[in-house]
Amino acid sequence: MTRSSAPVSVAVAALLLSAGARPAHAQHLPDLVTQDVLRVCSDPGNMPFSERKGGGFENKIAQIVADELKVKLRYYWLTQGPGFVRNTLGTGLCDLIIGTSGGDIVQATNPYYRSAYVLVARKGELVDLKRLDDPRLKDKQIGIIAGTPPSNRLSELKLVGERIHAYAPYAFGAERKHQTVAAEVIADLAEKKIDVAILWGPAAGWLAKQSGVPMDVVPLLHEPGRPPLTFRISMGVRHNENDWKRSLNTVLRKRKSDIEAVLREYEVPLLAEEDSKPLDAADE
């Protein structure tokens, strides 16, 4: 996982602790799930995903879930990084991660959106550029977060060396200038320190709009299937919490349109469930 570039995923170096089952009752939820409040594990400074003030799109979606369950919303805050899952879901201090790409470390609900890595450039500078093998990229300064899936694709295309600005995946400490690494990359693009940024779309769309510099944000939909650059995003719960997972799946189904509206408000590039097409173009 890279903070602000992708959701909590298998790359988190942590061991998830599973919960035991409780005696049968109305919802058959395991002991660890609190039923009178929705306890969400979240990062207090990871816009546009989440922040302590509640301004992120994952904050808005968490509120939709709480409203549908008719319970109050409560957060357990921890900066995303190694150990995030172990110290949130794993300790039982909270019961739900709003955005995850799944994997062995958490049990995922049904996906509630699908998105892609994107190419971001200052508006009009790289018109109609849609692929990473476009020859115009060969002499461009490219910003990317180290270790993210597009790094492998750039290596395959021999786009390496001094043209690649690989940003460290985590930015901690008081000396950092920006809330997240993705925000730093977009700021450098706005200041013309780099020519192109390749970032996780749900972060890049909102950050580009907030930068104050007009930018083009283009989902990378024409790359080979490996490494994957598109991902389905689910919510994450502990393993063995199957009834809790089913309850959340019901909420996601009932409130699908409300959740989609929030994602669109935050400039999240939404893709069709199966095809490499924007969601709006899926029926064309």
Side-chain angles (χ1 to χ4, degrees):
M1 176 196 67
T2 299
R3 188 167 181 256
S4 195
S5 70
V8 177
S9 69
V10 293
V12 180
L15 176 64
L16 181 62
L17 305 177
S18 298
R22 66 159 52 153
H25 62 77
Q27 293 191 4
H28 307 289
L29 293 175
D31 284 337
L32 215 50
V33 176
T34 300
Q35 296 179 58
D36 58 352
V37 63
L38 179 64
R39 304 186 306 168
V40 173
C41 329
S42 195
D43 188 320
N46 191 22
M47 286 296 286
F49 300 96
S50 60
E51 66 171 359
R52 195 178 296 272
K53 293 180 180 179
F57 68 77
E58 289 185 353
N59 299 128
K60 308 296 185 185
I61 292 170
Q63 189 61 62
I64 289 172
V65 174
D67 290 346
E68 184 63 31
L69 294 174
K70 296 179 172 58
V71 295
K72 293 182 179 180
L73 176 61
R74 182 184 303 157
Y75 284 98
Y76 178 76
W77 301 108
L78 183 67
T79 299
Q80 282 192 18
F84 179 82
V85 176
R86 182 183 67 240
N87 293 308
T88 55
L89 281 179
T91 60
L93 291 171
C94 47
D95 303 315
L96 181 64
I97 293 173
I98 296 297
T100 176
S101 57
D104 295 335
I105 200 166
V106 297
Q107 179 178 202
T109 66
N110 292 340
Y112 66 95
Y113 74 97
R114 181 171 175 244
S115 194
Y117 277 83
V118 298
L119 187 148
V120 190
R122 292 179 293 273
K123 195 166 187 66
E125 292 191 6
L126 290 169
V127 177
D128 293 330
L129 193 154
K130 298 179 180 179
R131 301 175 62 102
L132 294 179
D133 60 3
D134 190 303
R136 288 177 290 173
L137 285 179
K138 290 185 177 180
D139 62 352
K140 301 300 181 185
Q141 300 295 311
I142 302 172
I144 190 168
I145 298 176
T148 54
S151 300
N152 293 332
R153 178 61 177 150
L154 293 179
S155 295
E156 291 174 359
L157 295 170
K158 296 182 170 52
L159 291 170
V160 294
E162 294 181 357
R163 293 186 304 276
I164 302 299
H165 298 252
Y167 294 73
Y170 300 107
F172 302 128
E175 71 281 0
R176 71 181 188 219
K177 294 182 179 179
H178 303 280
Q179 187 182 74
T180 66
V181 180
E184 179 183 358
V185 178
I186 291 294
D188 284 354
L189 179 61
E191 295 170 12
K192 298 187 177 182
K193 295 179 180 179
I194 56 175
D195 301 310
V196 175
I198 303 172
L199 296 169
W200 176 231
W206 184 85
L207 289 169
K209 188 173 182 179
Q210 297 294 312
S211 71
V213 174
M215 294 185 181
D216 292 317
V217 180
V218 182
L220 292 168
L221 304 181
H222 306 288
E223 305 301 315
R226 290 289 181 271
L229 298 184
T230 66
F231 293 90
R232 292 174 176 85
I233 303 304
S234 306
M235 295 184 181
V237 301
R238 285 175 288 269
H239 289 288
N240 298 333
E241 294 182 341
N242 296 323
D243 291 294
W244 177 220
K245 172 184 172 180
R246 282 190 285 270
S247 296
L248 291 168
N249 284 340
T250 298
V251 173
L252 294 176
R253 184 176 64 252
K254 291 178 66 175
R255 302 299 295 270
K256 180 179 178 179
S257 61
D258 296 325
I259 291 171
E260 182 178 317
V262 170
L263 295 169
R264 291 187 183 282
E265 178 186 351
Y266 282 78
E267 308 292 329
V268 175
L270 297 178
L271 305 185
E273 177 60 28
E274 299 295 339
D275 299 327
S276 292
K277 294 181 179 180
L279 187 59
D280 290 340
D283 298 328
E284 293 180 1

